[in-house]
Amino acid sequence: MSRDWGSAEDVCLGEQTFRLYCEEFIQHSRSINDEWDWEHSQGSEDGYMKKILLKAANGSAPPAWDDQRNVQGENGELELEAQHRVYEELEDPGAGCSITTGPEVTRYEYHVVYSSSYQSPVLYFRACQLDGRPLSLEEIWESVHDNYKDRLLQGPWDTITQQEHPLLGQPFFILHPCRTHEFMTPIIQAAKEENRHLNVITAWLSMVGPVVGLALPISYATAASKHKTAPD
């Protein structure tokens, strides 16, 4: 059954608008070397946003959760710097020992996919060690910080599950979107009342991303605020 983000028509996210928001998001990503890109599905006009992230286990806690929003700007900037350092070490032949004997590195692959059923973006992801061993659902749950774990069990995302990627046919983990419209509707409506441009992908991903280790630099929010009007 189709599910929108509220009773007002302008709260629904159509696929064309989803792509326009993604293009805007990717444009800023390229300007700060955050490595998000658009991936076309083979033999189809459909596609999705994609990012690959290498993370070293360091025991650092994610930012605390606020009832209204996730305060993650500085954390996102630090995450981007840390990501670049990991890539530099992996590409540096002289750094091989530090990777082998240092913190374990995990490869995360994030996809933002449009759901026509829920008329919303959905975050699919998978993770594996550098030797190719995939992380299990239990290991994914263990990697979720306690600040977020309780919220996952209560909502608004319901839970993390594993299911088939709608465009690739491969197993991915997913933050279920069944209640996405509930926490996004007031954000969208507030932006409309204030006559303020809102990139829905940026706002949504800044909410759900940190739950599974994906923090956005604050520059995404400032970039979105420079736009006068939203995509039609």
Side-chain angles (χ1 to χ4, degrees), residues 1 6-7 19 27 95 127 129 149 155 159 163 167 177 205 212 218 220 230:
M1 182 178 67
S7 57
R19 292 193 181 192
Q27 182 179 9
Q129 304 300 335
K149 196 171 294 184
T159 189
Q163 62 180 248
L167 299 178
L205 196 54
V212 290
I218 197 171
Y220 280 97

Side-chain angles (χ1 to χ4, degrees), residues 4-214:
D4 59 35
W5 289 8
S7 57
E9 183 178 351
D10 57 5
V11 180
C12 302
L13 183 65
E15 186 169 5
Q16 182 178 3
T17 305
F18 165 79
R19 292 193 181 192
L20 290 173
Y21 282 130
C22 287
E23 289 174 7
E24 180 184 307
F25 183 95
I26 290 172
Q27 182 179 9
H28 181 69
S29 171
R30 289 172 177 168
S31 73
I32 63 172
N33 297 317
D34 195 26
E35 301 183 355
W36 281 95
D37 211 344
W38 183 262
E39 195 83 7
H40 290 280
S41 181
Q42 187 173 5
S44 170
E45 295 182 356
D46 296 327
Y48 52 91
M49 285 207 318
K50 176 181 177 180
K51 177 186 174 83
I52 293 176
L53 177 64
L54 298 180
K55 298 188 66 176
N58 53 25
S60 60
W65 180 267
D66 180 273
D67 282 341
Q68 299 300 321
R69 59 190 177 278
N70 179 30
V71 182
Q72 57 157 330
E74 183 178 355
N75 185 72
E77 302 290 352
L78 294 175
E79 181 69 48
L80 185 57
E81 293 178 10
Q83 174 188 347
H84 289 162
R85 285 199 299 272
V86 171
Y87 275 107
E88 289 170 0
E89 290 174 353
L90 288 175
E91 292 172 354
D92 182 2
C97 292
S98 63
I99 289 295
T100 303
T101 60
E104 191 173 62
V105 176
T106 303
R107 179 186 185 274
Y108 287 84
E109 182 176 339
Y110 299 97
H111 293 186
V112 175
V113 183
Y114 178 75
S115 169
S116 57
S117 299
Y118 290 92
Q119 295 183 300
S120 72
V122 182
L123 182 59
Y124 287 82
F125 67 100
R126 58 185 173 185
C128 66
Q129 304 300 335
L130 292 186
D131 61 5
R133 183 187 70 81
L135 268 62
S136 66
L137 180 58
E138 290 74 17
E139 289 174 307
I140 292 295
W141 268 108
E142 289 175 3
S143 70
V144 176
H145 192 268
D146 289 342
N147 287 353
Y148 300 125
K149 196 171 294 184
D150 290 342
R151 292 291 182 128
L152 282 171
L153 297 174
Q154 300 172 17
W157 304 282
D158 209 27
T159 189
I160 298 175
T161 59
Q162 189 172 37
Q163 62 180 248
E164 185 177 285
H165 192 293
L167 299 178
L168 301 181
Q170 301 171 3
F172 270 71
F173 298 108
I174 176 178
L175 279 171
H176 201 279
C178 63
R179 298 180 63 185
T180 300
H181 67 294
E182 291 187 19
F183 67 86
M184 284 302 300
T185 293
I187 297 174
I188 296 171
Q189 290 178 339
K192 181 184 177 183
E193 292 171 1
E194 298 169 8
N195 196 26
R196 171 173 51 87
H197 173 72
L198 176 75
N199 184 307
V200 172
I201 298 301
T202 298
W204 164 80
L205 196 54
S206 70
M207 295 283 287
V208 303
V211 178
V212 290
L214 178 64

